[in-house]
Amino acid sequence: MDGKHMQIGEVAARTELSLRTIRHYEEAGLVVPSARSRGGFRLYTETDVARLMVIRRMKPLGFTLDQMRDLLDATDRLDADADADVDRLDAEDADDAEDAEDATNATDRLDADEREALLERVRTYRQAAAEQVEKLRVQLSRAEDFADTLSARLDRNAPATRV
């Protein structure tokens, strides 16, 4: 776990999300505080902040909460599998055969088919994001053209200044 804990206010400032939005994402099961203070305050880590940033980036692309949850589940499982690989290699490097065997036989390890299915889910979201970004570029271009048209109209109709 990444060491430093932050309260929700600091997380809100760092992510530029409101406290209400962060709480909503918690209620929706998208992010869970890593800990609670003795007083019951939510405490978050850098990992939690990174997760909120993924959610924040998905939102303007039109992804639903269910889609966000699905993508986060896929990336969480892939990350956990990668972490298990690192743990296994670390155990092998330390010549600790028992730890290496435990890491290799972990029940949360993905088989090749599961891993490929998760990667395909992530690829699908990447493609959807790329398509939505292109649509937003077109909309932005049209909005800029509109703003330029208004500026030109104002320039044409502005009173002439006397010298």
Side-chain angles (χ1 to χ4, degrees):
M1 176 160 102
D2 34 15
K4 182 181 177 260
H5 284 96
M6 297 164 272
Q7 290 189 1
I8 193 169
E10 183 179 349
V11 172
R14 293 204 32 213
T15 60
E16 298 178 348
L17 294 169
S18 69
L19 301 177
R20 183 177 177 188
T21 298
I22 294 171
R23 289 184 187 116
H24 173 69
Y25 290 151
E26 179 185 349
E27 290 168 9
L30 295 175
V31 66
V32 177
S34 292
R36 293 267 181 174
S37 71
R38 289 184 187 168
F41 294 105
R42 295 166 175 85
L43 297 174
Y44 298 88
T45 62
E46 289 296 331
T47 301
D48 300 324
V49 170
R51 187 177 187 87
L52 283 165
M53 292 304 293
V54 169
I55 295 164
R56 187 178 136 210
R57 290 175 182 124
M58 291 180 78
K59 183 78 172 129
L61 296 177
F63 288 102
T64 66
L65 295 178
D66 286 338
Q67 290 171 318
M68 292 176 193
R69 190 178 302 106
D70 183 55
L71 175 63
L72 290 166
D73 173 66
T75 57
D76 287 348
R77 291 177 61 199
L78 288 166
D79 291 347
D81 193 56
D83 290 345
D85 284 341
V86 169
D87 291 344
R88 180 183 54 78
L89 292 173
D90 287 347
E92 287 174 1
D93 288 345
D95 291 326
D96 190 339
E98 186 176 318
D99 285 346
E101 186 176 325
D102 288 346
T104 301
N105 295 330
T107 58
D108 60 350
R109 294 304 316 267
L110 299 173
D111 66 33
D113 289 340
E114 286 177 299
R115 182 174 191 69
E116 186 53 40
L118 290 171
L119 288 169
E120 187 55 35
R121 279 169 49 193
V122 174
R123 287 184 198 109
T124 300
Y125 284 110
R126 180 186 63 191
Q127 181 63 36
E131 289 170 6
Q132 189 59 27
V133 165
E134 188 53 38
K135 288 178 186 176
L136 289 171
R137 281 191 179 111
V138 169
Q139 289 178 349
L140 178 59
S141 177
R142 289 176 181 157
E144 289 171 336
D145 289 345
F146 174 67
D148 290 344
T149 300
L150 292 176
S151 292
R153 180 174 298 267
L154 287 171
D155 290 344
R156 278 194 319 268
N157 292 302
T161 56
R162 294 187 177 175
V163 180

